[in-house]
Amino acid sequence: SVGENPFGISIVIPTFNRLTECTACVLLLKARILAPTDLWEVIVVDDGCTDGTGAYLSEMFKNKGFENFRVVYTNKEPGKYRNAGWAENAGARAAKRTYICFCDSDIFHLTDPVTPTLAKLKECSDCVIGGQFYAIFSPHSNINIFTNTLQVGMVNKDWQVHPGWMTLSRKLFIDIGGNSERFTRWGAEDIDMWDRLKELKLPFYRL
């Protein structure tokens, strides 16, 4: 049940055929996170990858230092496209912490995203947190840098921030019905959730 989950963040990273990007994302998270290991976990969701992402990361996570990392799989045929919402919901079901953070698999964190997120959640348990210092990586395009700093005590009323790092409580996630699975292509589910959360007029903080 919701109340039995310990305080902390379950970082859910959905991915589809992004072996290089997702591996880099995970390794940088491991290097950047300074928070105690009992306050966070990382769950990579293999959404039917055909490039070996899940198998590769599962082997990597057997090594020392990756005790907080694991891979889960969506129940679909390899290579059959569904959408990120489906994968994120699978990750949320596997999550063991009070708060769930959805993290894109193609972003490189330049600073620790967990410590400031946890600090804000201790002040405001019913808020939504988005953004962080990170770069979006793709082998087919230039790197775009986003540098949004945590605005302590300031609510971003316009909710204008790239949702590559979005954290909310497990209870809130369940109450709004989770991520939409109606999209037939990868993406758009984060904007859809953004819009539904905005309607609740909850405090929003950006990193």
Side-chain angles (χ1 to χ4, degrees):
S1 66
V2 174
E4 294 175 349
N5 297 97
F7 177 78
I9 300 174
S10 295
I11 303 167
V12 174
I13 306 176
T15 192
F16 182 84
N17 286 352
R18 284 180 173 173
L19 174 58
T20 300
E21 298 96 316
C22 191
T23 301
C25 174
V26 165
L27 289 174
L28 270 175
L29 272 176
K30 181 178 181 296
R32 303 297 189 208
I33 296 175
L34 301 175
T37 55
D38 61 340
L39 294 177
W40 58 273
E41 64 172 344
V42 173
I43 303 168
V44 175
V45 185
D46 182 320
D47 192 29
C49 296
T50 59
D51 64 353
T53 297
Y56 180 86
L57 292 178
S58 291
E59 283 300 310
M60 187 171 77
F61 293 166
K62 293 177 182 178
N63 295 317
K64 183 178 180 181
F66 287 95
E67 292 80 9
N68 281 30
F69 295 76
R70 56 196 166 106
V71 175
V72 299
Y73 297 84
T74 55
N75 58 341
K76 73 174 191 178
E77 285 181 38
K80 184 178 179 182
Y81 226 178
R82 191 167 277 124
N83 57 57
W86 182 278
E88 287 169 341
N89 288 341
R93 287 190 292 271
K96 297 179 179 178
R97 300 293 175 180
T98 324
Y99 294 90
I100 300 172
C101 171
F102 297 106
C103 174
D104 287 356
S105 64
D106 60 347
I107 62 177
F108 291 179
H109 281 97
L110 309 179
T111 62
D112 172 15
V114 171
T115 299
T117 298
L118 287 170
K120 179 52 61 179
L121 290 173
K122 288 180 180 179
E123 298 176 14
C124 178
S125 60
D126 292 327
C127 62
V128 179
I129 298 174
Q132 174 60 21
F133 284 100
Y134 56 70
I136 296 180
F137 170 78
S138 170
H140 308 296
S141 65
N142 295 325
I143 292 177
N144 299 305
I145 304 295
F146 292 79
T147 55
N148 294 320
T149 56
L150 178 62
Q151 299 185 2
V152 179
M154 297 178 65
V155 176
N156 176 4
K157 295 182 173 59
D158 294 328
W159 284 58
Q160 297 300 315
V161 64
H162 184 271
W165 177 270
M166 180 167 63
T167 307
L168 70 165
S169 72
R170 171 190 293 275
K171 181 180 183 305
L172 178 57
F173 179 75
I174 293 172
D175 287 347
I176 65 171
N179 274 292
S180 173
E181 298 179 359
R182 74 177 188 275
F183 299 102
T184 57
R185 298 181 62 184
W186 193 266
E189 89 297 333
D190 49 1
I191 303 301
D192 175 80
M193 175 176 282
W194 222 235
D195 288 340
R196 286 183 286 137
L197 288 168
K198 282 167 60 177
E199 292 177 359
L200 299 178
K201 303 187 184 303
L202 297 169
F204 170 75
Y205 296 90
R206 65 177 180 175
L207 297 176

